[in-house]
């Protein structure tokens, strides 16, 4: 199976690409976890947004009172959206960066710092930690993506 | 044209990658369709969010009444956001999965189930179907992406 | 460094791929800029959403009044979400398109028009320009992504 793949592409045999694949899978799984946390808070706080989701709590007015916003649910949702806004650029620019021929050690440094920063960001958002905890972890991840984008544009530039 | 491409990469000649390209284009087009459905409901329900969008309905107070939320518009927007939250991980992890050397039949199974589940999810959200219709279609797509991430991490693991 | 990379993959030596990398980095950086603009408006308008973000303005009621929505902040956030909805499909479908063997001139035309349209869209949203300025720039970017998806499906089709 790896043999046949190797004939058409050795991407996955490239160490930088393997590192990219590992960290990208980790941060995307972390982002997907936010859906489960949202569902957990929606169910425990009984705070839903779709009428059909409250049908199991009874009919009419008795179910309608669960159609409400809850501060904990909204907090997780903001964390999820912030993940989308920051992890999407990491995945896209990171792929190009991994294909732009960086040193393995430099690439690992970028991927590790970004992943660590986004995990810290999630804890800072959900606990929540006092500022500038969340702000700093956001800025670190942002800077890593920016640094990778600089390397991509320097290597690939063709306008 | 294909000849020159083939010299530098045979990715597109790899059957698993072709399947990935096909299903990724389909789910991304499906996600893009949500923008058109939102626009359709905004126009037919006359429910806008930007003052400049209501200028054609007249000036001042007569236009201002169309700056409102509408349950149908909000429903499509939630479906669109749910697509972003779930299709982004599929596209990112799916690419790495396609490059990790899976059997074509296994890969097709993953891509087909995910795509079917997300199409079902959209219908379940927009009709709307009673639960657990939407919940189940969401969970099926989620599980497929999780299964692909497992294969990626097993193949590429380099921390 | 490029030497070792070249052994495992020449993707970055392919001109169409280099053009894709350049324009993808540019539109993703443009999307990331929306975070900074949101932060700028949140701070200058003193309009926050997380209680921990207003702690530096004092305690209790004096800080609570800054937990509010502001029209300028909400406008940037809508522009940011619209970027996510449109730039994610461009990045995903664009990668497959770049690997599907298009002519360099055709590919450049697609990438340039999309990037120009999204930059126009941001200006149209933030100034704001009267409609159909924003609507047209959205439709142009949408059509480019659709055209690339057509080429991808024609080349890769394997269901």
């Amino acid at each position: 199976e790896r043999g046949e793949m190797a004939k058409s592409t050795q991407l996955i045999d490239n160490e930088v690409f393997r590192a990219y694949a590992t960290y990208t899978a980790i941060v995307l799984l972390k982002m997907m976890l936010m859906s489960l946390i949202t569902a957990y808070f929606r169910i425990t706080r009984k705070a839903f947004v779709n009428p059909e989701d409250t049908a199991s709590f009874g009919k009419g007015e008795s179910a309608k009172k669960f159609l409400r916003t809850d501060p904990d649910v909204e907090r997780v949702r903001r964390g999820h959206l912030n993940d989308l806004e920051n992890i999407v650029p990491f995945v896209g620019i990171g792929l190009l960066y991994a294909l732009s021929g960086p040193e393995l050690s430099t690439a690992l440094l970028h991927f590790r710092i970004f992943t660590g920063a986004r995990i810290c960001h999630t804890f800072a958002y959900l606990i929540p930690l006092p500022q500038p905890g969340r702000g700093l972890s956001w800025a670190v991840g942002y800077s890593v993506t920016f640094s990778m984008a600089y390397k991509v544009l320097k290597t690939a530039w063709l306008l």
Side-chain angles (χ1 to χ4, degrees), chain A residues 37-38 41 45 69-77 126:
Chain A
I37 301 177
T38 301
F41 277 118
R45 267 64 169 168
T69 59
D70 172 89
D72 291 325
V73 171
E74 295 310 305
R75 183 172 280 277
V76 186
R77 293 183 65 224
L126 296 190

Side-chain angles (χ1 to χ4, degrees), chain A residues 29-113:
Chain A
L29 286 171
K30 192 224 77 57
M31 187 171 90
M32 287 169 68
L33 184 62
M34 303 306 270
S35 298
L36 292 184
I37 301 177
T38 301
Y40 171 79
F41 277 118
R42 281 206 185 283
I43 291 166
T44 55
R45 267 64 169 168
K46 291 197 170 58
F48 299 92
V49 64
N50 295 298
E52 66 268 27
D53 301 351
T54 62
S56 62
F57 298 113
K59 291 202 180 288
E61 292 307 309
S62 62
K64 224 171 179 176
K65 69 174 179 233
F66 301 121
L67 293 177
R68 56 189 189 86
T69 59
D70 172 89
D72 291 325
V73 171
E74 295 310 305
R75 183 172 280 277
V76 186
R77 293 183 65 224
R78 289 195 297 276
H80 200 165
L81 186 58
N82 194 281
D83 269 356
L84 268 173
E85 292 169 359
N86 288 279
I87 289 176
V88 162
F90 171 81
V91 171
I93 291 172
L95 173 68
L96 306 170
Y97 172 76
L99 298 174
S100 74
E103 296 285 342
L104 176 61
S105 56
T106 316
L108 278 171
L109 195 70
H110 280 81
F111 301 156
R112 283 170 183 160
I113 294 175

